[in-house]
């Protein structure tokens, strides 16, 4: 039986080190080492690896520029980091041994490593970073008056809309964190179950499915963050103008 | 609370994940996105410059070709002009030479004529003197038989005068 909570592997004093925390370190090291390895060998004529990373970064940057032309430089790092961190975390759970190599405690297998995003602490942490960064960006770009004007108004209708907006901001965090956690945790459960029934060949399609799910979930999280950032950092009147302009164009 | 406990939510782990992500965000921003975006920007500039230079080079090539054509055309025109001038000059030179040779020939002819005339005159004079001498001898011999000494002198004198009067 897979538990929702990550399992404690060891403790550093009073600090519990869980298998997801250990996996987070592995993901961190992979990301930082990959970044350093790549940027040390940057060349005007790119290698295959550099080309792939350049294509990914350029695609994300251009996408951000399309959605929020003036704020691309600020939004892009969040989009790219959320995508890369979540993608590597999701895929790390598919590496043979992750989730299956461990030790027994009270007759239950405690894996040494477990996919980072199958821990609600990670996904909720990411969702909180996304939400806080979105609101800070919004405050910085549209200003305090415009920012609070979105939620509080003397007009009862707007006040009610503002209240709904506040609730939606809370639900955004919950939906972001639980969507990612649910998908990856469910995938992990499916893989463990299938591998328990048939050890060979049969889990392969499910592994491929999880590979795609991992990619899609990383993309969904990153894209939603970008969309929230773009929406919240656009003043109300400008949004209206943009909508009118688009309607006129169409 | 039971639900939170079941999901394994731990404020410390949550905080650790948040801090971890912020560190990763900073590191990737500094060591991955910035260098790559700078490189892409730099490459874009290099490509733009290269394309602009290539375009300039094409324009320069076209301009040079046009200049080359113009120079060749000018050179051809100049060569044609030079050739015509040379032709005209050679024609005038030929005419001058012809005239001068004609003049020289005329002069030589005149000189030859004058020489021939002079030689003819001197020959005539020589002939005259010979004829006069022969005539005088003949007259002397003829007169000596017909006239006395005084008449002989008179006839001879008149004959000499007459000979002198006679035009060449």
């Amino acid at each position: 039986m897979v538990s929702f909570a990550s399992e404690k592997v060891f403790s550093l004093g009073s600090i519990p080190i869980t298998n997801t925390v250990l996996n987070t370190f592995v993901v961190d090291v992979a990301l930082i080492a990959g970044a350093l390895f790549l940027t040390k060998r940057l060349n005007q004529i790119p290698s295959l690896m550099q080309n792939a990373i350049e294509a990914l970064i350029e695609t994300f940057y251009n996408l951000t520029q399309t959605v929020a032309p003036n704020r691309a430089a600020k939004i892009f790092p969040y989009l790219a980091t959320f995508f890369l961190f979540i993608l590597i975390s999701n895929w790390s759970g598919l590496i043979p041994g992750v989730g299956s190599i461990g030790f027994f405690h009270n007759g239950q297998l405690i894996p040494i490593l477990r996919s980072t995003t199958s821990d609600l602490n990670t996904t909720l942490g990411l969702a909180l970073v996304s939400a806080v960064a979105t609101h800070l960006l919004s405050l910085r770009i549209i200003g305090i008056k415009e920012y609070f004007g979105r939620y509080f108004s003397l007009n009862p209708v707007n006040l009610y809309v503002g209240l709904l907006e506040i609730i939606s901001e809370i639900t955004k965090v919950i939906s972001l964190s639980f969507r990612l956690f649910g998908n990856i945790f469910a995938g992990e459960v499916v893989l463990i179950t299938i591998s328990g029934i048939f050890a060979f060949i049969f889990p392969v399609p499910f592994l491929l499915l999880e590979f795609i799910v991992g990619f899609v979930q990383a993309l969904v999280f990153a894209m939603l963050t970008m969309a929230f950032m773009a929406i919240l950092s656009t003043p109300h009147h400008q949004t209206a103008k943009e909508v009118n302009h688009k309607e006129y164009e169409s | 609370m039971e639900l939170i406990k079941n999901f394994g939510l731990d404020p410390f782990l949550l905080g650790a994940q948040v801090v971890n992500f912020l560190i990763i965000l900073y590191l990737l921003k500094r060591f991955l996105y910035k260098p790559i975006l700078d490189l892409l920007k730099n490459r874009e500039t290099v490509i733009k410059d290269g394309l602009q230079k290539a375009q300039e080079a094409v324009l320069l090539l076209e301009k040079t070709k046009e200049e080359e054509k113009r120079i060749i055309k000018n050179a051809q025109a100049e060569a044609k002009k030079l050739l015509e001038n040379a032709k005209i000059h050679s024609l005038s030179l030929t005419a001058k030479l012809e005239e001068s040779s004609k003049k020289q020939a005329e002069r030589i002819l005149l000189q030859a004529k004058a020489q021939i005339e002079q030689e003819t005159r001197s020959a005539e004079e020589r002939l005259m003197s010979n004829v006069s001498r022969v005539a005088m001898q003949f007259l002397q011999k003829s007169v000596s038989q017909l006239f006395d000494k005084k008449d002989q002198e008179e006839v001879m004198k008149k004959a000499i005068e007459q000979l002198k009067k006679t035009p060449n």
Side-chain angles (χ1 to χ4, degrees):
Chain A
M1 178 70 189
V2 185
S3 69
F4 281 125
S6 55
E7 295 92 350
K8 191 172 87 177
V9 179
F10 62 92
S11 295
L12 281 176
S14 61
I15 305 164
I17 304 297
T18 62
N19 44 17
T20 52
V21 170
L22 282 177
N23 200 53
T24 307
F25 285 132
V26 174
V27 171
D28 288 354
V29 169
L31 277 173
I32 294 163
L36 290 175
F37 176 78
L38 190 83
T39 46
K40 268 195 178 177
R41 289 152 194 257
L42 280 182
N43 204 332
Q44 279 285 5
I45 300 158
S47 62
L48 192 71
M49 176 80 171
Q50 188 186 327
N51 220 351
I53 298 291
E54 272 181 18
L56 181 82
I57 287 175
E58 200 175 13
T59 306
F60 277 141
Y61 193 80
N62 290 342
L63 187 76
T64 320
Q65 259 190 331
T66 315
V67 176
N70 305 325
R71 293 145 282 162
K74 288 190 176 86
I75 296 173
F76 165 75
Y78 289 98
L79 167 74
T81 312
F82 275 127
F83 177 76
L84 288 174
F85 183 76
I86 296 170
L87 183 77
I88 303 298
S89 298
N90 293 349
W91 283 355
S92 72
L94 305 177
I95 297 168
V98 176
S100 57
I101 296 173
F103 55 90
F104 283 96
H105 181 71
N106 295 336
Q108 203 177 358
L109 178 72
I110 308 291
I112 293 171
L113 295 171
R114 183 177 153 181
S115 175
T116 313
T117 39
S118 66
D119 183 356
L120 191 62
N121 288 306
T122 311
T123 56
L124 187 61
L126 293 175
L128 282 172
V129 170
S130 165
V132 172
T134 303
H135 286 274
L136 286 178
L137 196 75
S138 175
L139 260 169
R140 234 170 95 181
I141 292 172
I142 64 172
I144 195 158
K145 196 180 165 192
E146 182 81 28
Y147 175 78
F148 283 109
R150 195 186 286 271
Y151 304 105
F152 305 105
S153 173
L154 293 174
N155 184 330
V157 177
N158 286 346
L159 187 68
Y160 180 69
V161 172
L163 191 70
L164 290 178
E165 287 262 11
I166 292 169
I167 295 166
S168 85
E169 292 306 320
I170 297 162
T171 54
K172 266 180 203 172
V173 176
I174 297 168
S175 76
L176 273 177
S177 56
F178 273 92
R179 182 188 300 109
L180 182 58
F181 168 71
N183 274 288
I184 302 308
F185 182 78
E188 212 168 70
V189 172
V190 167
L191 282 177
I192 288 168
T193 312
I194 296 295
S195 303
I197 301 168
F198 302 101
F200 303 102
I201 302 171
F202 204 64
V204 173
F206 292 92
L207 273 170
L208 283 172
L209 184 73
E210 281 313 305
F211 189 77
I212 295 164
V213 168
F215 175 79
V216 171
Q217 286 308 313
L219 199 64
V220 165
F221 195 102
M223 289 295 167
L224 282 173
T225 301
M226 182 190 69
F228 295 151
M229 282 182 169
I231 291 166
L232 279 187
S233 60
T234 309
H236 259 135
H237 56 87
Q238 198 177 326
T239 320
K241 269 183 197 172
E242 278 172 11
V243 170
N244 287 339
H245 187 64
K246 276 176 190 166
E247 275 173 3
Y248 177 75
E249 273 182 344
S250 66
Chain B
M1 285 305 279
E2 187 64 29
L3 188 74
I4 289 171
K5 202 181 171 188
N6 281 342
F7 277 111
L9 271 176
D10 179 341
F12 178 77
L13 288 178
L14 183 70
Q17 289 292 357
V18 168
V19 172
N20 173 69
F21 180 78
L22 291 175
I23 292 168
I24 287 290
L25 175 72
Y26 170 76
L27 291 176
L28 288 185
K29 194 174 171 182
R30 182 164 179 182
F31 295 112
L32 186 68
Y33 311 142
K34 196 178 179 297
I36 287 183
L37 287 174
D38 285 349
L39 180 84
L40 289 172
K41 206 172 178 183
N42 191 27
R43 192 184 291 150
E44 195 182 327
T45 316
V46 168
I47 291 169
K48 266 185 189 170
D49 282 356
L51 284 173
Q52 199 179 342
K53 275 180 187 168
Q55 213 169 0
E56 279 172 8
V58 168
L59 284 175
L60 191 70
L61 190 71
E62 276 176 16
K63 210 173 169 183
T64 313
K65 275 183 182 171
E66 274 175 22
E67 185 76 13
E68 190 188 349
K69 273 183 191 171
R70 195 182 59 78
I71 288 169
I72 289 171
K73 205 175 170 183
N74 282 352
Q76 277 176 341
E78 210 167 324
K80 205 175 171 183
K81 204 174 167 186
L82 278 172
L83 215 65
E84 276 173 10
N85 281 349
K87 218 172 179 178
I88 292 165
H89 189 66
S90 73
L91 280 174
S92 81
L93 208 67
T94 313
K96 268 183 190 173
L97 274 171
E98 252 176 37
E99 203 178 335
S100 123
S101 57
K102 214 172 179 179
K103 275 181 184 171
Q104 206 171 351
E106 275 175 8
R107 203 174 65 239
I108 290 166
L109 209 68
L110 280 174
Q111 273 177 354
K113 267 184 183 174
Q115 206 173 349
I116 290 164
E117 230 169 74
Q118 200 181 352
E119 276 179 12
T120 311
R121 208 177 293 135
S122 72
E124 275 177 357
E125 275 174 6
R126 272 201 311 272
L127 187 68
M128 192 74 175
S129 110
N130 284 343
V131 167
S132 300
R133 191 166 41 86
V134 170
M136 285 300 287
Q137 279 174 358
F138 176 73
L139 195 65
Q140 223 169 5
K141 275 181 185 173
S142 309
V143 169
S144 64
Q145 288 167 4
L146 292 173
F147 298 102
D148 58 9
K149 197 110 178 164
K150 199 182 168 183
D151 287 336
Q152 275 179 34
E153 282 174 5
E154 188 73 21
V155 169
M156 286 302 285
K157 200 179 173 182
K158 275 187 180 173
I160 288 163
E161 276 175 8
Q162 200 62 43
L163 275 169
K164 278 180 185 173
K165 276 179 189 173
T166 308
N168 290 331

